[in-house]
Amino acid sequence: MSVAAQPLANDHAHEEGHHEPTFIEKYIFSTDHKMIAKQYLITGLIMGFIGIAMSMLMRLQLAWPNESFWIYEVLLGRFGEDGVMDPGIYLALSTIHGTIMIFYVLTAGLSGTFSNLLIPLQIGARDMASGFLNMVSYWLFFISSVIIVSSFFVEAGPASAGWTVYPPLSALPQAIGGSGLGMTLWLVAITVFIASSLLGSLNYIVTVLNLRTEGMSMTRLPLTIWAFFVTAIIGVVSFPVLLAAGLLLLMDRSFGTSFFLSDIYIQGEVLSYQGGSPVLYEHLFWFLGHPEVYIVLLPALGITSEVIATNSRKPIFGYRAMIASILAIAFLSTVVWGHHMFVSGMNPFLGSVFTFTTLLIAIPSAVKAFNYITTLWKGNLQLNPAMLFSIGLVSTFVTGGLTGIILGDSTLDINVHDTYFVIAHFHLVMGISALYGLFAGVYHWFPKMFGRMMSKNLGYIHFWITAIGAYGIFFPMHFIGMAGLPRRYYKFTEFPYFDDLADTNILISVFAFITAAAQLFFVYNFIHSIFYGKKAEKNPWRSNTLEWTTPVKHIHGNWPGEIPKVYRWSYDYSKMNKDDSDYVIPGQDFVPQNVPIQENEEEMNE
């Protein structure tokens, strides 16, 4: 299903007069999908470390709430005077930490990087459908990142209404310090981010539908591409709803409307707002908010599918069931948003409907977990860092998902809503799982991005400290949540009831500091390997997908000659010939997609 534009792009790429791009054309305003993927990755990683630094400040405050620390004064300025954290800035830290990690790291950093890198390479395309739109998408993301970080430098401080920015705290500029200019900057940043996301998503969808190479039917696509494709569709459906909510909130803040406000009193003064409802905002926000969980998770699951199959040296178990589960998750993710609102005064019957749809979405999720475990079963496992992070994802996806059953039940949720139980649940199932997917993708496709290999040993250290540390942080958090410890409080010393939980908070914080420090192994490995890593061969993981047929050195248009044709699906690992005497290609336990069907083999998955 190739299109006429692709050979033209190839001819143009190899005209004798094709000029060498300047530094600005190549590294800054590039329209090459491979360079844009690197831009997304590096920007996402920088934002990730800003987000981690914020969580470290919060953990320091929660562990030792009555101590003073010079680091507060250095990093927070007047909000950390005399080494004491201002209560308002704690709320701001949790707000911006959540926003950065969910949108800027796990949405743009993960999806933006690997959708850009892999979609053209794995479907056999010269580039994205629109290189220019792709470039604009990245730069809107970059501008949005700058705006959200700059909100820390406004006088009253950044947005402080939680990452969900519920009104009235977010709708009244005079409510608290963080409701002022910082909140406006948050809304502007998210608006620009949504524009970036929509441009990227439309580009991904059009590329997958129109630019597949000859022979690359939809049922021969790697599961990575299915995941990126469906993620883009979810984004196009749900992000505009958050955009609408954000614009209505801006109008309430600045133009006197009453979409989300009614009967408000501030310091005895009656405000003139009438007829709005903050619950309306909750519906709009969570209509994006829950699909967002799968916008974050599906790319990580797609990466895991590819990494586990490659490193098990086995075909992925239940390929079509995996596609069906991705599609089922995409549909169901749009009808479960109400489980975030069980304590909002929702009609109990409606609560039971959302409980039903929420428990229903566990089925396709369980199919994916089961298929990963079955693929690993009796495989010839290559336990490199990418494989370890993929297995780690399966672990956190299962353990985090189990607590989702409790939170998805309207009666059980009431007891633990807005406690650390919720924090523990979504950090495991969404945060840690997606981060593991990101790390697995970086370790696996680093040779394709930079032409060099990352250090395996540093990767092992990174994985084991991160894996143990992540459970060390979030496992105890479930228990303090069940004990009733509410989230977003900057200290609990005023409540004698919670005194017994103080030591657990210290334990969690110690694990958090160790886990954060372990990421420095990754940073060193990443930067050092770009310049000094061992040079990669063309197909270091002995993988079947088309990206490993391109030259190690990046070229404009990906392939120097014709685009390879596809003759088979992407999971022909350890495939034996008809009489089981040897592999299809003797002595080689993989058959790349561009190898024609041999006389001595049976075609699979057609």
Side-chain angles (χ1 to χ4, degrees), residues 206-226:
V206 172
T207 305
V208 171
L209 290 178
N210 289 339
L211 296 189
R212 302 193 306 282
T213 187
E214 189 178 336
M216 181 64 86
S217 64
M218 293 298 277
T219 52
R220 285 176 175 171
L221 286 174
L223 288 169
T224 37
I225 303 302
W226 269 106

Side-chain angles (χ1 to χ4, degrees), residues 238-276:
S238 57
F239 265 119
V241 180
L242 180 64
L243 180 63
L247 293 176
L248 296 179
L249 194 53
L250 272 173
M251 292 172 77
D252 274 11
R253 289 171 59 78
S254 306
F255 302 110
T257 57
S258 300
F259 291 109
F260 307 131
L261 295 169
S262 186
D263 305 318
I264 302 283
Y265 296 77
I266 288 190
Q267 295 170 342
E269 179 194 353
V270 184
L271 303 185
S272 58
Y273 299 102
Q274 281 294 319

Side-chain angles (χ1 to χ4, degrees), residues 49-362:
F49 281 96
I50 293 171
I52 288 172
M54 292 178 194
S55 65
M56 291 306 101
L57 290 173
M58 290 190 285
R59 286 309 327 168
L60 196 60
Q61 168 65 24
L62 288 170
W64 297 282
N66 294 324
E67 305 289 326
S68 58
F69 294 97
W70 58 268
I71 192 87
Y72 295 158
E73 199 154 10
V74 171
L75 293 179
L76 302 176
R78 70 182 186 85
F79 296 110
E81 267 184 79
D82 302 323
V84 178
M85 185 182 286
D86 177 75
I89 202 68
Y90 178 86
L91 196 51
L93 285 170
S94 80
T95 301
I96 306 298
H97 163 77
T99 306
I100 283 179
M101 298 307 279
I102 289 167
F103 292 115
Y104 293 82
V105 181
L106 298 178
T107 301
L110 178 58
S111 205
T113 299
F114 293 104
S115 296
N116 270 304
L117 177 71
L118 296 177
I119 287 176
L121 287 172
Q122 289 194 339
I123 68 171
R126 293 290 180 199
D127 205 314
M128 283 288 180
S130 170
F132 176 74
L133 273 189
N134 213 10
M135 177 191 77
V136 171
S137 170
Y138 168 73
W139 280 105
L140 287 173
F141 164 58
F142 181 81
I143 291 165
S144 177
S145 303
V146 170
I147 294 170
I148 199 88
V149 172
S150 69
S151 69
F152 263 91
F153 300 95
V154 301
E155 188 179 358
S160 304
W163 79 273
T164 55
V165 297
Y166 285 172
L169 210 52
S170 59
L172 297 169
Q174 68 270 43
I176 55 173
S179 299
L181 178 57
M183 187 66 234
T184 304
L185 287 172
W186 189 98
L187 288 166
V188 171
I190 288 298
T191 302
V192 176
F193 178 88
I194 292 169
S196 157
S197 175
L198 290 175
L199 288 178
S201 295
L202 291 169
N203 217 353
Y204 306 151
I205 293 166
V206 172
T207 305
V208 171
L209 290 178
N210 289 339
L211 296 189
R212 302 193 306 282
T213 187
E214 189 178 336
M216 181 64 86
S217 64
M218 293 298 277
T219 52
R220 285 176 175 171
L221 286 174
L223 288 169
T224 37
I225 303 302
W226 269 106
F228 300 145
F229 175 60
V230 174
T231 299
I233 294 170
I234 301 173
V236 168
V237 168
S238 57
F239 265 119
V241 180
L242 180 64
L243 180 63
L247 293 176
L248 296 179
L249 194 53
L250 272 173
M251 292 172 77
D252 274 11
R253 289 171 59 78
S254 306
F255 302 110
T257 57
S258 300
F259 291 109
F260 307 131
L261 295 169
S262 186
D263 305 318
I264 302 283
Y265 296 77
I266 288 190
Q267 295 170 342
E269 179 194 353
V270 184
L271 303 185
S272 58
Y273 299 102
Q274 281 294 319
S277 168
V279 176
L280 169 62
Y281 173 85
E282 288 189 39
H283 279 291
L284 293 174
F285 181 89
W286 287 115
F287 189 81
L288 160 88
H290 202 81
E292 170 67 18
V293 170
Y294 293 100
I295 290 171
V296 163
L297 258 178
L298 282 179
L301 294 170
I303 288 166
T304 296
S305 302
E306 187 61 33
V307 172
I308 284 182
T310 301
N311 290 299
S312 297
R313 315 310 295 163
K314 276 178 66 181
I316 193 83
F317 183 86
Y319 173 81
R320 287 172 189 253
M322 292 294 252
I323 296 172
S325 67
I326 290 172
L327 295 171
I329 284 171
F331 170 70
L332 289 170
S333 73
T334 61
V335 292
V336 295
W337 78 91
H339 66 219
H340 297 270
M341 301 169 54
F342 285 145
V343 298
S344 67
M346 176 187 287
N347 182 309
F349 175 73
L350 187 58
S352 67
V353 172
F354 280 120
T355 298
F356 174 71
T357 55
T358 303
L359 297 181
L360 210 57
I361 208 169

Side-chain angles (χ1 to χ4, degrees), residues 392-553:
L393 182 150
V394 178
S395 168
T396 54
F397 186 57
V398 171
T399 49
L402 285 172
T403 53
I405 295 171
I406 296 168
L407 293 168
D409 187 303
S410 54
T411 47
L412 296 175
D413 174 71
I414 291 167
N415 301 300
V416 286
H417 193 88
D418 261 340
T419 69
Y420 273 87
F421 191 89
V422 178
I423 305 281
H425 160 72
F426 78 75
H427 275 82
L428 270 184
V429 80
M430 181 171 87
I432 300 297
S433 296
L435 272 179
Y436 283 178
L438 175 65
F439 288 137
V442 171
Y443 281 109
H444 189 74
W445 280 288
F446 191 89
K448 186 46 55 190
M449 279 194 265
F450 298 102
R452 293 180 183 269
M453 306 293 285
M454 290 180 80
S455 161
K456 252 189 184 183
N457 289 337
L458 285 175
Y460 290 142
I461 295 169
H462 176 216
F463 169 74
W464 284 112
I465 301 178
T466 303
I468 294 165
Y471 274 130
I473 297 164
F474 298 114
F475 194 69
M477 218 178 258
H478 289 93
F479 295 105
I480 61 174
M482 286 193 286
L485 199 71
R487 63 181 180 174
R488 296 184 185 165
Y489 283 45
Y490 86 117
K491 65 177 183 179
F492 299 97
T493 50
E494 311 300 318
F495 307 100
Y497 176 73
F498 294 129
D499 286 350
D500 291 346
L501 305 178
D503 289 345
T504 313
N505 253 331
I506 293 172
L507 176 72
I508 291 170
S509 291
V510 169
F511 271 116
F513 299 141
I514 293 168
T515 309
Q519 307 319 304
L520 298 176
F521 287 104
F522 172 75
V523 174
Y524 173 78
N525 195 358
F526 184 81
I527 295 170
H528 183 267
S529 299
I530 289 175
F531 300 104
Y532 306 110
K534 179 184 150 196
K535 290 203 170 169
E537 53 190 90
K538 194 170 178 181
N539 187 359
W541 312 119
R542 310 196 317 283
S543 189
N544 289 340
T545 40
L546 290 181
E547 75 269 29
W548 305 108
T549 64
T550 60
V552 175
K553 184 172 169 52

Side-chain angles (χ1 to χ4, degrees), residues 548-585:
W548 305 108
T549 64
T550 60
V552 175
K553 184 172 169 52
H554 290 176
I555 59 168
H556 182 72
N558 294 336
W559 286 271
E562 284 191 12
I563 298 173
K565 293 179 184 176
V566 168
Y567 298 94
R568 59 182 71 239
W569 72 326
S570 54
Y571 297 105
D572 274 341
Y573 293 104
S574 302
K575 187 178 183 185
M576 307 300 287
N577 57 26
K578 283 181 180 174
D579 56 8
D580 280 347
S581 59
D582 200 348
Y583 295 121
V584 169
I585 300 176

